[in-house]
């Protein structure tokens, strides 16, 4: 598995799964665009990627807003000339019974887990479709297909189901145009 000469953009890359994805892609030879909101974490991950001998660029912002999502993609293209891989990893969850979830909490989870996935896929996807190649991996969850116990997380479950079906829709549309769109649905990590 060799990604030499490729550029991967990872959202939510400052910790957890996103950090691990960024490392794995860099170890395979990709240069990395680090997206997130934590400046200190982003700089730490950038240093780790560079220690692996790869190039990295950081762009911070709120990708639930179109202008921030566009700026993240633009930063990667400006730094490296292309985006070959998008890992849509940023996510949010509220662990609370449904009768206690506020409208604000519901919107926050949907905004990060569905709207940001849509914006990043649409913006990076336009670049990839124009080039006739690319790969988008949306990080969904097993919670998009089952209800995990013991915690209650209705907004998270619904958002991950939506992101999974969005993945199917984009895959059907963009596959013939040279852009693969897949979902990865991890369990507890």
């Amino acid at each position: 598995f060799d990604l030499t000469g490729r550029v991967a953009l990872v959202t939510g890359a400052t910790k957890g799964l996103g950090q691990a994805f960024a490392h794995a892609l860099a170890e395979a030879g990709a240069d990395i665009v680090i997206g997130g909101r934590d400046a200190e974490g982003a700089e730490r991950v950038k240093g780790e990627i560079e220690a692996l001998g790869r190039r990295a660029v950081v762009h911070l912002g709120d990708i639930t807003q179109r202008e921030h999502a566009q700026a993240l993609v633009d930063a990667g293209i400006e730094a490296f000339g292309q985006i070959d891989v998008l890992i849509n990893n940023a996510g949010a969850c509220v662990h609370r019974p449904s009768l206690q979830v506020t409208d604000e909490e519901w919107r926050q989870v949907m905004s990060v887990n569905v709207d940001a996935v849509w914006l990043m896929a649409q913006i990076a996807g336009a670049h990839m479709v124009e080039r006739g190649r690319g790969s988008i991996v949306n990080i969904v969850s097993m919670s998009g297909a089952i209800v995990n116990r013991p915690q209650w997380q209705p907004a998270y479950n619904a958002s991950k189901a939506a992101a999974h079906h969005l993945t199917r829709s984009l895959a059907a549309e963009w596959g013939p145009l040279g852009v693969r769109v897949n979902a990865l649905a991890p369990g507890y990590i």
Side-chain angles (χ1 to χ4, degrees):
F1 187 70
D2 185 11
L3 293 176
T4 302
R6 303 290 171 96
V7 176
L9 187 161
V10 182
T11 68
T14 62
K15 63 183 178 181
L17 286 174
Q19 180 180 2
F21 295 141
H23 277 248
L25 292 160
E27 288 171 358
D31 293 321
I32 307 296
V33 181
I34 299 165
R37 294 186 291 182
D38 172 9
E40 185 178 315
E43 288 302 320
R44 184 188 72 256
V45 172
K46 181 178 189 255
E48 294 165 357
I49 299 302
E50 290 171 343
L52 293 171
R54 304 307 319 149
R55 298 178 299 164
V57 64
V58 169
H59 188 83
L60 303 177
D62 177 2
I63 59 171
T64 67
Q65 304 299 312
R66 180 172 290 279
E67 62 273 12
H68 290 254
Q70 182 71 57
L72 176 56
V73 172
D74 290 347
I77 294 170
E78 182 179 323
F80 302 121
Q82 66 200 42
I83 303 290
D84 299 291
V85 177
L86 167 63
I87 307 295
N88 250 331
N89 170 71
C93 185
V94 171
H95 295 285
R96 191 182 325 276
S98 60
L99 295 178
Q100 296 173 15
V101 174
T102 67
D103 291 346
E104 182 178 308
E105 290 169 331
W106 176 270
R107 281 297 346 131
Q108 181 226 3
V109 172
M110 288 296 177
S111 189
V112 174
N113 294 355
V114 181
D115 298 344
V117 169
W118 163 249
L119 291 171
M120 290 301 302
Q122 188 185 47
I123 294 165
H127 169 71
M128 293 174 183
V129 166
E130 182 179 308
R131 294 179 66 226
R133 69 177 212 200
S135 177
I136 297 172
V137 180
N138 295 326
I139 307 306
V140 294
S141 171
M142 68 181 199
S143 298
I146 65 166
V147 176
N148 289 315
R149 295 298 307 125
Q151 76 281 358
W152 297 117
Q153 52 190 25
Y156 182 81
N157 295 349
S159 71
K160 292 301 184 172
H164 204 140
H165 207 63
L166 173 60
T167 301
R168 290 182 189 102
S169 297
L170 296 177
E173 184 177 344
W174 294 345
L177 303 175
V179 179
R180 292 183 321 275
V181 185
N182 290 287
L184 179 63
Y188 292 110
I189 306 244

